[in-house]
Amino acid sequence: MNQPPRIAFLASRTPEGQAQLAELEQLYEQVSPDEADILVPLGGDGFMLQTLHRHMGLGKPIYGMKAGSVGFLMNHFSTEALIERLQAAERTTFKPLEMVAVTEAGGSVGAVAFNEVSLLRQTKQAAKVRIHLNGRVRLEELVCDGVLVSTPAGSTAYNLSAHGPILPLASDLLAMTPISPFRPRRWRGAILRNDTEVRFEILDPWKRPVSATADSFEVRDVVEVTIRESKDKTVTLLFDPEHNMEERNFDEQFTV
């Protein structure tokens, strides 16, 4: 007979998250993340991203429950039959992006992104960006408010708001999407293989400064940003079978 999984509940500091944590702690045994078989964050997608960044090194599967305004990466909250839900949950494994940003001062800053890496203009001046793919210039000059590279898991977040494509989670693809492009007017981005190395070269960075953000980690005054899918880091999310990631992607594309 299978032993029930050991659970670490992690709650956002919102009143809703803390109330859910109190309910669950009365019904189920709580252990530390290091001792757990499964991590259960209680919050919205922002808190899920915090959990992924904080506990990725543990290699534990994560089953989120919604206690926030946005919960695309979360299951619905219920205190009933949680052990059975965890045992029946479907696994979705994906790799994050790794960003290396070079600043005007000559420093190099690395970060990991589960949703997207985005570049944004810092002032009223539009950014000018040259795009390299696997060492070859593919777009000589993009004039825009910004540009982003999204994972399949993040393609329904900022990428979708910028009119980028929704990617199936198992597609081994990345989405590159411009943010308010001015030139070239007809360029709407690209779908890339996940093994593509993307390098953004900032043109005229002193007059047109640009920041780079990996999920919520920002680096300002960048002159060059390289992005590639991680070769050795993975995360595993758990979802109820009736509302798995594939079904959520369909819902996003066909719900009006």
Side-chain angles (χ1 to χ4, degrees), residues 12-62:
S12 68
R13 296 186 179 276
T14 64
E16 187 178 0
Q18 291 300 307
Q20 290 182 0
L21 176 62
E23 283 187 67
L24 290 165
E25 286 181 327
Q26 289 181 351
L27 298 171
Y28 302 97
E29 182 179 354
Q30 160 88 303
V31 300
S32 70
D34 289 342
E35 299 172 316
D37 298 311
I38 298 175
L39 308 183
V40 179
L42 310 168
D45 283 348
F47 187 69
M48 170 62 87
L49 289 175
Q50 291 179 31
T51 302
L52 292 174
H53 282 281
R54 186 171 300 169
H55 298 291
M56 175 179 57
L58 296 177
K60 307 291 178 72
I62 300 175

Side-chain angles (χ1 to χ4, degrees), residues 205-226:
W206 296 273
K207 182 180 178 182
R208 303 170 183 268
V210 170
S211 66
T213 303
D215 287 345
S216 60
F217 178 79
E218 183 185 36
V219 182
R220 295 181 69 81
D221 299 316
V222 299
V223 295
E224 179 181 292
V225 178
T226 302

